Amino acid sequence: MKYTKKKNNTKLYLFLLPLIVVLLVMVAYPFFSNILYSFTDYSLIKPEKQFIFLDNYIKILGDNEFLSIFKNTIIWTVGNMVLIIIIGLTVGLLLDSDIKGKIILQSVILIPWVIPQIVTGYTWKWMMASDYGILNSILLKLGIIDGNFSWFRDGKMAMLAVILANVWRSFPLMAVMIYAKKRTMPKEWTEAAVIDGANAFQVFRYIVLEYVKPVLISTSILIFLWCYNAFGIIYAITEGGPLGATETFPVFIQKKAFGQFDFGFTSAMSILMMLSMLILYMIIKMLFKKRKNSGEV
């Protein structure tokens, strides 16, 4: 009996061995190499790399550019999360309603999500072009903008442009998750609330929202992690411009590493990016946990 169990365990480990090798080669090795490079002046321009300990980190933290990039990353992440939660929650509830065209909406809702980021980025860039963009043409005919308007001339408008593009791509995930959770809610709950005199807002606030809140929170945390690491859409639309107004951590790291070949500096920047993301993630988790313990969630 013991021999059979030991033999089965050996087979299990053999089946897992390819996965372990792939994880070591594709994840563990690059991760620890990146940590090592962050303590060196490693550059493709220089033939040798030297150990400089914390010089890269001191240089980054002492530069105002780091604070600017961190601010842009926060604005980008928070802006995306707010709009994705609002639009995703609204559309998710509409999918479970009796509105006309619901079947069509259910059929096409995931199309933006499955399109690659780089394709979405270039599509929105062309749509927002000042001279031939269809979006600008529609807004101009409606009298919302004038002929001199440009999404990419001003830093704030450029940030809004990349946020809108990413929201369009990402909100279907939130909508589908909300819809799936809402479908499992017993209809008797809302019917009983209406009989007891609850209005539409009270039904939404105290029954529907409370029921879908666990999925709303977990999906929001997932979206936070994705947005904080997002690269494709921003790079395709603005490449971090104008004048670094939309330059987030991933965009800056890519441009610095593969444009100036300074891998030591960008390795340190990526470590600081990871630490800042983990700190923000822990803060968000603590806030949700605190509200849950107080009975608000």
Side-chain angles (χ1 to χ4, degrees):
M1 184 74 178
K2 290 183 180 181
Y3 174 76
T4 304
K5 185 176 181 181
K6 184 177 180 180
K7 187 176 181 180
N8 291 335
N9 288 338
T10 303
K11 287 184 178 180
L12 176 62
Y13 294 140
L14 288 175
F15 279 118
L16 290 175
L17 184 60
L19 175 61
I20 295 172
V21 172
V22 170
L23 289 176
L24 290 174
V25 173
M26 303 298 294
V27 179
Y29 175 73
F31 177 74
F32 289 108
S33 295
N34 192 68
I35 295 176
L36 178 62
Y37 291 154
S38 70
F39 297 110
T40 69
D41 61 349
Y42 178 38
S43 173
L44 293 183
I45 300 174
K46 298 170 60 176
E48 297 180 358
K49 53 180 177 288
Q50 296 180 352
F51 184 76
I52 57 175
F53 196 43
L54 296 176
D55 285 5
N56 285 325
Y57 293 95
I58 295 172
K59 183 179 178 181
I60 293 171
L61 295 175
D63 191 349
N64 291 331
E65 189 176 28
F66 174 78
L67 295 177
S68 177
I69 295 171
F70 180 70
K71 183 188 73 173
N72 291 340
T73 306
I74 294 298
I75 294 173
W76 155 263
T77 304
V78 173
N80 272 284
M81 287 188 65
V82 170
L83 292 177
I84 290 171
I85 289 172
I86 294 173
I87 298 174
L89 178 61
T90 303
V91 175
L93 295 178
L94 286 175
L95 288 173
D96 194 46
S97 65
D98 296 326
I99 62 169
K100 293 182 179 180
K102 183 180 70 173
I103 302 299
I104 298 176
L105 184 59
Q106 291 175 343
S107 303
V108 302
I109 186 65
L110 278 178
I111 290 179
W113 175 251
V114 300
I115 296 176
Q117 285 191 38
I118 199 72
V119 176
T120 300
Y122 279 115
T123 301
W124 275 79
K125 184 178 183 178
W126 295 332
M127 288 171 57
M128 293 177 169
S130 301
D131 47 359
Y132 57 83
I134 186 173
L135 182 59
N136 278 25
S137 178
I138 294 173
L139 295 177
L140 184 61
K141 290 179 180 179
L142 294 176
I144 298 176
I145 62 175
D146 56 36
N148 296 321
F149 177 80
S150 174
W151 289 93
F152 311 117
R153 190 180 300 122
D154 177 72
K156 294 181 180 178
M157 293 306 300
M159 179 62 79
L160 177 60
V162 293
I163 288 175
L164 290 177
N166 193 64
V167 168
W168 178 83
R169 181 183 182 273
S170 303
F171 87 87
L173 175 66
M174 176 67 76
V176 169
M177 297 297 288
I178 295 296
Y179 169 66
K181 180 66 175 178
K182 176 65 168 55
R183 289 282 292 176
T184 64
M185 188 181 79
K187 294 183 178 180
E188 292 81 6
W189 292 5
T190 55
E191 293 173 355
V194 171
I195 292 175
D196 289 340
N199 55 39
F201 175 77
Q202 290 172 329
V203 171
F204 166 75
R205 171 63 183 86
Y206 297 106
I207 298 179
V208 177
L209 188 59
E210 290 297 321
Y211 187 77
V212 302
K213 192 173 286 186
V215 169
L216 182 65
I217 292 173
S218 59
T219 308
S220 297
I221 292 175
L222 185 62
I223 289 172
F224 161 75
L225 297 174
W226 283 341
C227 288
Y228 206 86
N229 289 282
F231 167 77
I233 287 181
I234 298 177
Y235 191 79
I237 297 177
T238 65
E239 295 186 16
L243 299 175
T246 59
E247 200 166 60
T248 58
F249 280 122
V251 176
F252 174 82
I253 290 170
Q254 193 277 342
K255 291 170 66 176
K256 187 78 171 178
F258 298 99
Q260 302 178 21
F261 307 111
D262 193 347
F263 288 99
F265 184 87
T266 51
S267 293
M269 179 68 87
S270 65
I271 296 299
L272 291 175
M273 171 190 166
M274 181 190 69
L275 292 175
S276 65
M277 183 180 67
L278 290 176
I279 291 171
L280 291 172
Y281 171 77
M282 291 172 63
I283 291 174
I284 293 173
K285 289 285 288 184
M286 288 174 61
L287 290 175
F288 282 139
K289 186 176 181 181
K290 184 177 179 181
R291 291 188 63 189
K292 184 176 181 179
N293 292 335
S294 63
E296 296 182 28
V297 176

mmCIF file of all heavy atoms in Angstrom, residues 4 16 21 49 56 60 74 81 83 87 91 99 101 145 153 187 191-192 194 205 213 237 297:
data_model
loop_
_atom_site.group_PDB
_atom_site.id
_atom_site.type_symbol
_atom_site.label_atom_id
_atom_site.label_comp_id
_atom_site.label_asym_id
_atom_site.label_seq_id
_atom_site.Cartn_x
_atom_site.Cartn_y
_atom_site.Cartn_z
ATOM 1 N N THR A 4 2.630 1.629 -3.349
ATOM 2 C CA THR A 4 1.743 2.154 -4.395
ATOM 3 C C THR A 4 1.552 3.650 -4.255
ATOM 4 O O THR A 4 1.573 4.403 -5.232
ATOM 5 C CB THR A 4 0.376 1.442 -4.320
ATOM 6 O OG1 THR A 4 0.571 0.041 -4.411
ATOM 7 C CG2 THR A 4 -0.525 1.918 -5.453
ATOM 8 N N LEU A 16 4.274 17.110 -13.032
ATOM 9 C CA LEU A 16 4.422 18.521 -12.681
ATOM 10 C C LEU A 16 5.777 19.096 -13.080
ATOM 11 O O LEU A 16 5.942 20.325 -13.123
ATOM 12 C CB LEU A 16 4.227 18.709 -11.168
ATOM 13 C CG LEU A 16 2.813 18.520 -10.623
ATOM 14 C CD1 LEU A 16 2.830 18.615 -9.115
ATOM 15 C CD2 LEU A 16 1.861 19.547 -11.216
ATOM 16 N N VAL A 21 9.648 23.478 -14.455
ATOM 17 C CA VAL A 21 10.782 23.955 -15.266
ATOM 18 C C VAL A 21 10.402 25.241 -16.002
ATOM 19 O O VAL A 21 11.183 26.202 -16.043
ATOM 20 C CB VAL A 21 11.223 22.863 -16.265
ATOM 21 C CG1 VAL A 21 12.259 23.421 -17.246
ATOM 22 C CG2 VAL A 21 11.788 21.668 -15.523
ATOM 23 N N LYS A 49 29.351 45.170 -16.520
ATOM 24 C CA LYS A 49 28.482 45.774 -15.507
ATOM 25 C C LYS A 49 29.164 45.718 -14.143
ATOM 26 O O LYS A 49 29.799 44.730 -13.796
ATOM 27 C CB LYS A 49 27.123 45.076 -15.461
ATOM 28 C CG LYS A 49 27.139 43.572 -15.308
ATOM 29 C CD LYS A 49 25.721 43.037 -15.275
ATOM 30 C CE LYS A 49 25.680 41.516 -15.205
ATOM 31 N NZ LYS A 49 26.065 40.889 -16.461
ATOM 32 N N ASN A 56 21.226 53.171 -7.965
ATOM 33 C CA ASN A 56 20.073 53.318 -8.869
ATOM 34 C C ASN A 56 18.828 53.756 -8.103
ATOM 35 O O ASN A 56 18.084 54.641 -8.561
ATOM 36 C CB ASN A 56 19.797 52.005 -9.595
ATOM 37 C CG ASN A 56 20.788 51.727 -10.704
ATOM 38 O OD1 ASN A 56 21.256 52.639 -11.372
ATOM 39 N ND2 ASN A 56 21.121 50.457 -10.893
ATOM 40 N N ILE A 60 16.792 57.297 -8.482
ATOM 41 C CA ILE A 60 15.372 57.333 -8.851
ATOM 42 C C ILE A 60 14.559 58.118 -7.827
ATOM 43 O O ILE A 60 13.775 59.018 -8.181
ATOM 44 C CB ILE A 60 14.816 55.911 -8.986
ATOM 45 C CG1 ILE A 60 15.449 55.198 -10.184
ATOM 46 C CG2 ILE A 60 13.292 55.924 -9.136
ATOM 47 C CD1 ILE A 60 15.120 53.726 -10.268
ATOM 48 N N ILE A 74 -1.062 56.670 -10.853
ATOM 49 C CA ILE A 74 -2.216 56.705 -9.944
ATOM 50 C C ILE A 74 -3.442 57.276 -10.650
ATOM 51 O O ILE A 74 -4.556 56.738 -10.548
ATOM 52 C CB ILE A 74 -1.884 57.519 -8.682
ATOM 53 C CG1 ILE A 74 -0.797 56.829 -7.860
ATOM 54 C CG2 ILE A 74 -3.139 57.724 -7.831
ATOM 55 C CD1 ILE A 74 -1.175 55.463 -7.348
ATOM 56 N N MET A 81 -10.432 52.643 -12.943
ATOM 57 C CA MET A 81 -11.231 51.852 -12.006
ATOM 58 C C MET A 81 -12.596 52.472 -11.777
ATOM 59 O O MET A 81 -13.618 51.775 -11.752
ATOM 60 C CB MET A 81 -10.479 51.694 -10.687
ATOM 61 C CG MET A 81 -9.297 50.749 -10.746
ATOM 62 S SD MET A 81 -8.584 50.433 -9.123
ATOM 63 C CE MET A 81 -9.951 49.588 -8.307
ATOM 64 N N LEU A 83 -14.420 54.534 -13.716
ATOM 65 C CA LEU A 83 -15.289 54.417 -14.888
ATOM 66 C C LEU A 83 -15.652 52.970 -15.183
ATOM 67 O O LEU A 83 -16.801 52.666 -15.541
ATOM 68 C CB LEU A 83 -14.606 55.046 -16.099
ATOM 69 C CG LEU A 83 -14.439 56.565 -16.061
ATOM 70 C CD1 LEU A 83 -13.690 57.055 -17.295
ATOM 71 C CD2 LEU A 83 -15.790 57.256 -15.956
ATOM 72 N N ILE A 87 -19.545 51.896 -15.238
ATOM 73 C CA ILE A 87 -20.106 51.417 -16.506
ATOM 74 C C ILE A 87 -20.337 49.909 -16.459
ATOM 75 O O ILE A 87 -21.376 49.413 -16.907
ATOM 76 C CB ILE A 87 -19.177 51.788 -17.678
ATOM 77 C CG1 ILE A 87 -19.049 53.310 -17.787
ATOM 78 C CG2 ILE A 87 -19.710 51.207 -18.989
ATOM 79 C CD1 ILE A 87 -18.040 53.764 -18.823
ATOM 80 N N VAL A 91 -23.990 48.222 -16.985
ATOM 81 C CA VAL A 91 -24.238 47.315 -18.119
ATOM 82 C C VAL A 91 -24.528 45.896 -17.626
ATOM 83 O O VAL A 91 -25.398 45.204 -18.166
ATOM 84 C CB VAL A 91 -23.031 47.320 -19.074
ATOM 85 C CG1 VAL A 91 -23.216 46.286 -20.183
ATOM 86 C CG2 VAL A 91 -22.832 48.704 -19.682
ATOM 87 N N ILE A 99 -34.730 44.911 -21.023
ATOM 88 C CA ILE A 99 -34.611 45.930 -22.060
ATOM 89 C C ILE A 99 -34.597 45.292 -23.440
ATOM 90 O O ILE A 99 -34.202 44.135 -23.605
ATOM 91 C CB ILE A 99 -33.336 46.784 -21.866
ATOM 92 C CG1 ILE A 99 -32.086 45.895 -21.980
ATOM 93 C CG2 ILE A 99 -33.362 47.513 -20.557
ATOM 94 C CD1 ILE A 99 -30.800 46.678 -22.065
ATOM 95 N N GLY A 101 -33.311 44.516 -27.115
ATOM 96 C CA GLY A 101 -31.973 44.348 -27.663
ATOM 97 C C GLY A 101 -30.998 43.702 -26.704
ATOM 98 O O GLY A 101 -29.787 43.729 -26.946
ATOM 99 N N ILE A 145 -17.104 70.282 -29.775
ATOM 100 C CA ILE A 145 -15.731 70.753 -29.926
ATOM 101 C C ILE A 145 -15.653 71.668 -31.141
ATOM 102 O O ILE A 145 -16.591 71.716 -31.963
ATOM 103 C CB ILE A 145 -14.729 69.584 -30.096
ATOM 104 C CG1 ILE A 145 -15.051 68.784 -31.375
ATOM 105 C CG2 ILE A 145 -14.748 68.685 -28.870
ATOM 106 C CD1 ILE A 145 -14.056 67.699 -31.693
ATOM 107 N N ARG A 153 -2.876 67.272 -27.706
ATOM 108 C CA ARG A 153 -2.078 68.481 -27.547
ATOM 109 C C ARG A 153 -1.907 68.837 -26.076
ATOM 110 O O ARG A 153 -0.868 69.359 -25.667
ATOM 111 C CB ARG A 153 -2.725 69.638 -28.300
ATOM 112 C CG ARG A 153 -1.853 70.887 -28.389
ATOM 113 C CD ARG A 153 -2.544 72.003 -29.153
ATOM 114 N NE ARG A 153 -2.868 71.595 -30.512
ATOM 115 C CZ ARG A 153 -4.099 71.594 -31.014
ATOM 116 N NH1 ARG A 153 -5.130 71.967 -30.257
ATOM 117 N NH2 ARG A 153 -4.330 71.217 -32.256
ATOM 118 N N LYS A 187 -35.254 35.934 -7.278
ATOM 119 C CA LYS A 187 -36.158 37.042 -7.600
ATOM 120 C C LYS A 187 -37.111 37.355 -6.450
ATOM 121 O O LYS A 187 -37.655 38.466 -6.370
ATOM 122 C CB LYS A 187 -36.956 36.704 -8.858
ATOM 123 C CG LYS A 187 -36.100 36.601 -10.111
ATOM 124 C CD LYS A 187 -36.955 36.344 -11.336
ATOM 125 C CE LYS A 187 -36.087 36.290 -12.600
ATOM 126 N NZ LYS A 187 -36.904 36.042 -13.820
ATOM 127 N N GLU A 191 -38.939 41.003 -5.041
ATOM 128 C CA GLU A 191 -40.403 41.029 -4.997
ATOM 129 C C GLU A 191 -40.893 41.297 -3.579
ATOM 130 O O GLU A 191 -41.824 42.085 -3.366
ATOM 131 C CB GLU A 191 -40.963 39.712 -5.519
ATOM 132 C CG GLU A 191 -40.702 39.478 -7.003
ATOM 133 C CD GLU A 191 -41.117 38.091 -7.457
ATOM 134 O OE1 GLU A 191 -41.523 37.287 -6.576
ATOM 135 O OE2 GLU A 191 -41.027 37.802 -8.664
ATOM 136 N N ALA A 192 -40.253 40.662 -2.606
ATOM 137 C CA ALA A 192 -40.645 40.886 -1.214
ATOM 138 C C ALA A 192 -40.335 42.311 -0.777
ATOM 139 O O ALA A 192 -41.123 42.928 -0.027
ATOM 140 C CB ALA A 192 -39.910 39.892 -0.311
ATOM 141 N N VAL A 194 -40.308 45.000 -2.688
ATOM 142 C CA VAL A 194 -41.292 45.891 -3.308
ATOM 143 C C VAL A 194 -42.613 45.817 -2.568
ATOM 144 O O VAL A 194 -43.280 46.837 -2.334
ATOM 145 C CB VAL A 194 -41.473 45.525 -4.803
ATOM 146 C CG1 VAL A 194 -42.641 46.302 -5.403
ATOM 147 C CG2 VAL A 194 -40.200 45.812 -5.573
ATOM 148 N N ARG A 205 -29.832 49.496 -3.762
ATOM 149 C CA ARG A 205 -28.798 49.776 -2.756
ATOM 150 C C ARG A 205 -28.669 48.667 -1.723
ATOM 151 O O ARG A 205 -27.549 48.249 -1.379
ATOM 152 C CB ARG A 205 -29.096 51.109 -2.058
ATOM 153 C CG ARG A 205 -28.227 51.416 -0.844
ATOM 154 C CD ARG A 205 -26.765 51.561 -1.231
ATOM 155 N NE ARG A 205 -25.918 51.783 -0.063
ATOM 156 C CZ ARG A 205 -25.410 50.828 0.699
ATOM 157 N NH1 ARG A 205 -25.664 49.554 0.403
ATOM 158 N NH2 ARG A 205 -24.654 51.114 1.733
ATOM 159 N N LYS A 213 -21.827 42.641 -4.422
ATOM 160 C CA LYS A 213 -20.636 43.331 -3.914
ATOM 161 C C LYS A 213 -19.402 42.433 -3.816
ATOM 162 O O LYS A 213 -18.293 42.886 -4.124
ATOM 163 C CB LYS A 213 -20.945 43.970 -2.559
ATOM 164 C CG LYS A 213 -19.857 44.940 -2.095
ATOM 165 C CD LYS A 213 -20.279 45.674 -0.825
ATOM 166 C CE LYS A 213 -21.313 46.727 -1.142
ATOM 167 N NZ LYS A 213 -21.644 47.545 0.055
ATOM 168 N N ILE A 237 -1.248 54.762 -28.258
ATOM 169 C CA ILE A 237 -1.948 56.028 -28.493
ATOM 170 C C ILE A 237 -1.025 57.233 -28.344
ATOM 171 O O ILE A 237 -0.986 58.119 -29.204
ATOM 172 C CB ILE A 237 -3.157 56.156 -27.549
ATOM 173 C CG1 ILE A 237 -4.177 55.047 -27.832
ATOM 174 C CG2 ILE A 237 -3.826 57.516 -27.711
ATOM 175 C CD1 ILE A 237 -5.368 55.053 -26.916
ATOM 176 N N VAL A 297 -19.639 46.251 4.347
ATOM 177 C CA VAL A 297 -19.513 45.444 3.128
ATOM 178 C C VAL A 297 -20.068 44.060 3.395
ATOM 179 O O VAL A 297 -19.725 43.470 4.405
ATOM 180 C CB VAL A 297 -18.026 45.353 2.702
ATOM 181 C CG1 VAL A 297 -17.898 44.430 1.508
ATOM 182 C CG2 VAL A 297 -17.497 46.707 2.369
#
